[in-house]
Each structure stands twice: as C-alpha cells, then as structure tokens.
Amino acid sequence: MSTDTFPIRRVDHVRHYVNNARQAAFFYQHTFGFGITGYAGLETGSQKEVSYVLDQNELRLVFTAPVRPGHPMAPLIAEHGDFVQDIAFEVDDVDWAWKAATDRGAVSYAEPYTLEDDHGKVRLASIRTYGNVVHSLINRDHYKGPFLPGFRSENQPGDPIGLIEVDHCVGNVELGKMNVWVKWYEDVLGFKNLISFDDNDISTDFTSLMSKVMANGNGRVKFPINEPAPGKKKSQIDEYLEFFGGPGVQHVAMRTDDIVYTVSRLRARGIQFLSVPRSYYDMLTDRVGQIDEDIDVLAELGILVDRDDEGYLLQIFTKPVTDRPTLFYEIIHRKGAKSFGKGNFKALFESIEREQALRGTL
Ligand code: FE2
C-alpha cells in the first residue's frame, strides 16, 4: 500500500524573480548551458512582467522580472535581491493537492485556476512555504505548448554541460524554525525526515548549523532545511538571513552523471567555486576508499567526495551567483550514495569562512 499522502511527480521548475530577466537568462545560458525555450513579455501580451524559460534535460529554470513600476513582486525583489520565489511541483490533480494542503494547514497563495490557449489547458495553484517562497502545483497533461499558456517557443540553444535534474533544494530558516518547517513538510506534504545533522556533525571552530533533510513520497523531491546554531562567530546561515532579509532558498543542487566534464566546462566559462586545501586530497583515499576518478583531476577542479553505506558521491559548490552572499549552486554526481556529503561539511565550512572573512561577515 502506498503511504504517499501527497503525490508529487517531480520538481516542475524553479522560478527566480529578478530585476533583469534578460541578463539573468543570458548568464544561465552561457555559463550553465541552458537553452532558452520559452518567452513571455510585452510582445506576447504580458503587460506586467517578462519571463524566460530555460531548459536542460529535466531541469527547468524560469526568470521573471517586472517591466513597469508597481509590480507586486517589486518590493520583494528590492528586499531580497534576485531570489528563488517558487519551487513548483508537477502533480496529478491540482485541485485535490491544493485542497489537501490547505486543509492540512498550508496557507494558500493562489487558489486553483486554469490558463488556456490554442495548445490546451494548464491547471495551477500555489501554497506558501517559508519566507516569501511558494510551491506552485501544476498539471499540464492537457497542454502541448511551450511551458504555460501565454508563452511562445524560443529556440536559443545553450551548450549543455550534462546537468540532468534538480537533486535537492535547500532552505535556510531562522533559529528555532527548522523543526517548525520540518513538521510543516511532514504534516502538509507528507514528506519524511531522511537525515538529521546537528551541530556536532556540522561545526568548525567558528560556526555551526543544524539541518534536516526532508523527502517526498517518491523520493524525487528532497529539501534539506537549515537553521543557524550558536557558534563563536556568525554562521553562514546567519549571514544568509541577514543579507537575504529572512528565510529563503540557499542553494539548488543540480545532478550530473559526469562531474569532471560539467565542472571543467563551468570553470572554463568563468563560474567560481569554493576551494578546499590540497591536504583534503592527500587524505581522500583514506577517508572514502577507492574511487573511479583520478584524484589529481578532482583536486585540480576542486571536486569533493564522500561515501555512505550505499556508495559515494562527488560534489562541488559555486560561490554565490548574486551580489549578495545568498544563492549558490551545487553540482552533484551520485555513484550509489543517497546522502548529502556530511564528510565534506567541515572542509566546506572552513572554505566558506575564508570567504566570509573576506566579506567581513565572520
Ligand atoms: Fe546540497
């Protein structure tokens, strides 16, 4: 018997609200290699905002910006900077999902509605989660057009780098709020707590944080939720909350099946990553055992490795991609491991602290 009390097929898309969607789309096209496949704006009858849809395999990012004063999202963009506003889910039945979620305590952001054009119909609704982030609920089983009604097709290919799908999306919430949102994902969306980390797992001499990883019924949607824990200095989560102006999406992990290729391409295109000391690689084989990859190549690219009971994973984190020290990306390659790289936390946090020290925020 299925115990999934809130069936979600997959993450449908991740929508960012930004000040300048044209430049954001260009950046993601020319660095991460997304193709621009859809567009809505003044030319398509969208009078208030412009949106670009970017695809790479199962990954879909949407960048939306106001085109006139008075847009309802403008104060939030001013407050947070460019930010992830929607982690949208594809569901079987939007009306059922919205009603179930709101009956279980979710706050509605948009009641179920239909968008329609010559290509068919799409049913949508949205619920609020932490901060100013929402989860849209979407079903496009009766739609054949690009993205959503009102969008036109674009054919601006990227030069893809092997990104496959969203692996997980991480939220940072305030001190004391992690368990509130863990319970919310359990009660409302039927998620289960996969793994918990406390400040003994995730601490350095200076900073610590707590984290719980929540996963949906089919295991395809994974949301770690972090909160700061008291440390000697300001934690990276505190820094995020201060600069973002509250809780929000900290990073999106994108899965690849060839991390050496993906990261080589990203580095060649100017994406900057957190770095770890060379000593990390001297100790690597002792810590994770034999791996398929050449450790010198991993060291050159700064790729990290961790092992769990089921296999190992390779991962790397970009520096923030916005002016503020807020949103960044993870590239992850799973070779059996279903975990999140706990063995790398200490080396990573020391790397983040070096960046924080440069920003004067440690
Ligand atoms: Fe991650």
Side-chain angles (χ1 to χ4, degrees):
M1 197 184 87
S2 171
T3 55
D4 190 352
T5 60
F6 196 92
I8 295 170
R9 293 179 184 173
R10 56 191 284 272
V11 171
D12 185 272
H13 66 270
V14 176
R15 186 190 292 258
H16 301 237
Y17 265 92
V18 300
N19 262 313
N20 190 328
R22 183 192 296 264
Q23 286 187 7
F26 188 85
F27 171 81
Y28 284 90
Q29 181 185 23
H30 288 273
T31 56
F32 290 90
F34 286 85
I36 300 176
T37 59
Y39 171 82
L42 293 169
E43 300 86 345
T44 67
S46 173
Q47 292 296 318
K48 293 181 180 158
E49 61 184 34
V50 58
S51 296
Y52 291 82
V53 181
L54 282 77
D55 281 293
Q56 186 165 167
N57 296 310
E58 293 282 298
L59 267 164
R60 174 173 279 170
L61 306 181
V62 180
F63 295 89
T64 303
V67 292
R68 316 173 180 271
H71 190 288
M73 294 305 288
L76 297 184
I77 301 169
E79 177 74 5
H80 299 309
D82 294 355
F83 75 111
V84 172
Q85 184 262 347
D86 190 355
I87 302 169
F89 300 138
E90 185 186 9
V91 298
D92 296 336
D93 183 337
V94 168
D95 294 74
W96 180 89
W98 178 84
K99 180 157 193 321
T102 52
D103 283 350
R104 298 172 193 172
V107 176
S108 176
Y109 184 72
E111 293 187 10
Y113 61 101
T114 299
L115 293 176
E116 191 167 1
D117 67 11
D118 295 344
H119 301 290
K121 291 180 184 177
V122 178
R123 192 77 172 152
L124 300 108
S126 307
I127 55 172
R128 302 186 68 110
T129 176
Y130 50 80
N132 287 309
V133 183
V134 308
H135 292 306
S136 283
L137 309 167
I138 299 181
N139 182 282
R140 55 166 71 80
D141 288 353
H142 303 289
Y143 186 68
K144 296 198 160 33
F147 189 51
L148 290 176
F151 279 73
R152 76 177 186 208
S153 286
E154 286 290 310
N155 183 20
Q156 300 182 44
D159 185 357
I161 56 170
L163 300 173
I164 298 168
E165 63 180 359
V166 173
D167 186 90
H168 59 274
C169 296
V170 180
N172 282 343
V173 301
E174 307 96 317
L175 182 63
K177 292 293 170 62
M178 176 181 70
N179 284 324
V180 173
W181 288 104
V182 163
K183 186 165 169 22
W184 187 91
Y185 278 98
E186 285 171 348
D187 292 350
V188 174
L189 300 184
F191 282 40
K192 300 270 191 295
N193 180 11
L194 274 190
I195 313 170
S196 301
F197 305 104
D198 63 22
D199 49 350
N200 294 320
D201 296 318
I202 314 182
S203 69
T204 64
D205 288 345
F206 295 119
T207 65
S208 57
L209 65 83
M210 318 260 270
S211 185
K212 288 189 177 176
V213 181
M214 305 303 293
N216 80 318
N218 69 8
R220 291 196 70 185
V221 183
K222 297 182 285 289
F223 290 165
I225 300 171
N226 299 332
E227 74 173 26
K232 289 182 199 145
K233 295 201 176 181
K234 183 187 287 184
S235 83
Q236 49 163 310
I237 312 302
D238 289 314
E239 184 194 39
Y240 178 100
L241 294 168
E242 177 186 336
F243 282 86
F244 190 77
V249 175
Q250 179 210 40
H251 74 268
V252 176
M254 304 192 285
R255 195 170 68 77
T256 174
D257 278 340
D258 188 350
I259 196 166
V260 168
Y261 172 73
T262 300
V263 173
S264 302
R265 299 296 300 276
L266 286 170
R267 283 198 180 275
R269 294 172 185 180
I271 292 294
Q272 296 189 328
F273 294 94
L274 293 175
S275 60
V276 295
R278 177 72 215 196
S279 57
Y280 173 93
Y281 296 94
D282 298 337
M283 299 179 293
L284 190 61
T285 310
D286 289 343
R287 191 164 63 77
V288 303
Q290 287 301 314
I291 56 172
D292 302 335
E293 293 74 15
D294 181 338
I295 290 177
D296 287 334
V297 172
L298 299 182
E300 179 100 351
L301 293 170
I303 294 167
L304 310 178
V305 189
D306 197 25
R307 186 179 282 281
D308 65 20
D309 297 343
E310 295 171 278
Y312 68 97
L313 62 82
L314 304 106
Q315 64 187 167
I316 192 169
F317 298 83
T318 71
K319 292 184 181 181
V321 294
T322 54
D323 298 319
R324 303 186 194 202
T326 52
L327 180 71
F328 60 89
Y329 289 91
E330 173 180 353
I331 308 297
I332 186 165
H333 181 170
R334 295 186 178 280
K335 292 192 143 177
K338 296 201 180 78
S339 53
F340 295 83
K342 173 176 156 180
N344 289 322
F345 289 169
K346 188 173 168 65
L348 269 172
F349 291 177
E350 287 168 353
S351 179
I352 291 171
E353 284 159 14
R354 289 193 293 276
E355 299 287 318
Q356 280 187 276
L358 292 174
R359 292 193 283 264
T361 60
L362 187 60

